[in-house]
């Protein structure tokens, strides 16, 4: 009886050892498969992250706050907007005329000393001889000495009422020549400033997208008036965006290079264009004089 019991116990022990060995084998096999799958998952995830970092993001990102330099530039542009207001006109005759304007030397003397300041009062009028009521004319004041081959610019102060104070510092001895030229009337300067601010679409940009052996050109620019899907290329430093229309079946990263050409467009009216026709020297010169400077 005891021998049978011993045999049964030994048989149970053998069966238990077989079951444990089989379970260890199964677990080790599953663990190997699980670790391989985990490795695969980690590798794919890492590759995806690496691939994303190779190409620019095309989604919109919130703009960063303006830097101190950008705020300064914005302030300067706003001041220019105030100093160059719109100056509409009905006829060229109502714009500034150099021929009809007058320049007067204030407190004239026969001779001046080197280092003295010479002031000129300028009153501008239109082509009908009527006094202008506002400023903004583009003037150039120059002083020169042909004998010394020297020259200097004068300082122009605009009183915004049709009068200007032009000041020259007499830097050297001898005879000097003074000239005061009207480069553009205030109406022309205003038209140029307006055209400058609205002329962002004067240049046509075309982007070439390449995918394998096929390539496509699409329209690009700083602003695109289109409802089509766009590719956005953002400058990380300046937060300035450039856009291209996204071609079908091609990613935004397929953009290779750009081509440009000028658009046949003018932001000036015919009347405004007439202000920039080349004139004879006498029609642009407001004043010309000679002054003697001594030691």
């Amino acid at each position: 009886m005891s021998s049978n019991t011993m045999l049964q116990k030994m048989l149970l022990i053998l069966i238990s050892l077989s079951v444990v060995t089989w379970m260890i084998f199964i677990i080790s096999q599953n663990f190997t498969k699980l670790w391989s799958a985990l490795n695969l998952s980690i590798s794919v995830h890492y590759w995806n992250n690496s691939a994303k970092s190779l190409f620019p993001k095309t989604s919109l990102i919130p703009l960063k706050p303006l830097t101190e330099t950008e705020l300064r530039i914005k302030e300067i542009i706003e001041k220019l907007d105030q100093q160059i207001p719109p100056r509409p006109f009905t006829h060229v005759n109502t714009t500034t005329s150099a021929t009809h304007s007058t320049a007067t030397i204030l407190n004239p003397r026969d001779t001046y000393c080197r280092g003295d300041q010479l002031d000129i009062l300028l009153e501008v009028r239109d082509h009908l001889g009527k006094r202008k009521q506002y400023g903004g004319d583009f003037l150039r004041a120059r002083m020169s000495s042909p004998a010394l081959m020297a020259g200097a610019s004068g300082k122009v102060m605009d009183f915004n009422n049709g009068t200007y104070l032009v000041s020259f510092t007499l830097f050297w001895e001898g005879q000097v020549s003074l000239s005061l030229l009207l480069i553009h009337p205030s109406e022309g300067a205003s038209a140029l400033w307006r055209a400058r601010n609205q002329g962002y679409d004067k240049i046509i940009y075309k982007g070439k997208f390449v995918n394998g052996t096929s390539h496509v050109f699409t329209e690009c620019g700083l602003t695109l008036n289109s409802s089509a899907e766009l590719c956005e290329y953002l400058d990380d430093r300046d937060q300035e965006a450039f856009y291209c229309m996204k071609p079908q079946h091609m990613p935004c990263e397929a953009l290779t290079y750009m081509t440009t050409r000028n658009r046949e467009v003018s932001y000036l009216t015919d009347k405004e264009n007439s202000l920039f026709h080349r004139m004879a020297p006498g029609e642009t010169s407001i004043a010309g004089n000679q002054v003697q400077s001594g030691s």
Side-chain angles (χ1 to χ4, degrees):
M1 187 71 180
S2 60
S3 59
N4 291 336
T5 304
M6 290 294 294
L7 287 174
Q8 289 177 358
K9 288 182 178 181
M10 291 180 64
L11 183 61
L12 286 174
I13 293 172
L14 289 173
I15 294 173
S16 300
L17 288 174
S18 301
V19 170
V20 170
T21 304
W22 177 78
M23 289 180 65
I24 292 174
F25 175 78
I26 295 298
I27 291 173
S28 64
Q29 289 291 99
N30 290 336
F31 180 77
T32 303
K33 292 179 181 178
L34 177 62
W35 178 248
S36 300
L38 185 60
N39 270 339
L40 178 61
S41 176
I42 293 173
S43 301
V44 171
H45 181 68
Y46 177 79
W47 186 89
N48 287 338
N49 284 341
S50 302
K52 288 179 182 177
S53 65
L54 294 176
F55 304 111
K57 295 182 179 179
T58 57
S59 58
L60 291 174
I61 356 178
L63 295 180
K64 295 180 181 178
L66 295 178
T67 64
E68 183 179 350
T69 301
E70 291 168 337
L71 289 173
R72 180 61 179 155
I73 293 173
K74 182 180 179 182
E75 180 184 351
I76 292 173
I77 295 296
E78 289 175 351
K79 287 184 178 180
L80 285 173
D81 285 334
Q82 295 173 0
Q83 294 181 7
I84 314 178
R87 297 297 184 192
F89 61 98
T90 56
H91 196 276
V92 176
N93 286 340
T94 63
T95 64
T96 307
S97 166
T99 305
H100 293 83
S101 300
T102 59
T104 305
I105 297 178
L106 301 179
N107 304 316
R109 290 183 284 172
D110 293 336
T111 59
Y112 294 83
C113 295
R114 185 175 61 183
D116 284 350
Q117 180 170 300
L118 186 145
D119 294 324
I120 297 176
L121 180 65
L122 171 64
E123 296 181 347
V124 296
R125 301 177 182 273
D126 62 20
H127 291 266
L128 301 176
K130 184 179 178 180
R131 167 83 174 272
K132 296 289 291 292
Q133 299 301 313
Y134 51 84
D137 297 290
F138 182 13
L139 304 169
R140 189 179 71 179
R142 291 288 295 169
M143 175 181 67
S144 62
S145 171
L148 298 175
M149 300 181 65
S153 297
K155 179 182 178 182
V156 179
M157 180 181 295
D158 186 353
F159 294 110
N160 296 311
N161 60 0
T163 62
Y164 300 83
L165 180 64
V166 183
S167 302
F168 294 96
T169 300
L170 305 175
F171 294 108
W172 52 80
E173 298 180 12
Q175 193 175 62
V176 296
S177 298
L178 307 178
S179 67
L180 188 54
L181 298 178
L182 174 66
I183 306 301
H184 295 308
S186 55
E187 295 80 6
S190 176
L192 289 175
W193 182 247
R194 189 204 71 242
R196 178 262 178 201
N197 290 335
Q198 72 179 98
Y200 290 108
D201 58 346
K202 186 172 179 62
I203 300 178
I204 300 175
Y205 296 91
K206 291 288 185 181
K208 183 178 181 180
F209 291 79
V210 178
N211 189 4
T213 58
S214 61
H215 65 271
V216 177
F217 285 92
T218 69
E219 185 178 357
C220 303
L222 295 170
T223 56
L224 290 178
N225 186 18
S226 173
S227 59
E229 185 179 1
L230 301 178
C231 291
E232 180 192 57
Y233 304 95
L234 190 65
D235 188 316
D236 291 334
R237 185 190 66 180
D238 299 327
Q239 291 295 296
E240 291 181 340
F242 190 82
Y243 303 92
C244 288
M245 296 183 64
K246 186 179 183 301
Q248 292 184 351
H249 313 302
M250 285 193 185
C252 294
E253 296 79 18
L255 177 66
T256 55
Y257 69 88
M258 306 288 300
T259 62
T260 62
R261 64 183 178 87
N262 290 335
R263 193 187 304 271
E264 297 297 329
V265 62
S266 174
Y267 300 101
L268 301 176
T269 65
D270 292 339
K271 284 190 302 181
E272 290 170 339
N273 269 315
S274 66
L275 299 176
F276 306 106
H277 292 166
R278 180 176 291 275
M279 297 181 180
E283 296 177 326
T284 59
S285 177
I286 298 176
N289 210 335
Q290 292 185 339
V291 176
Q292 186 71 30
S293 175
S295 57

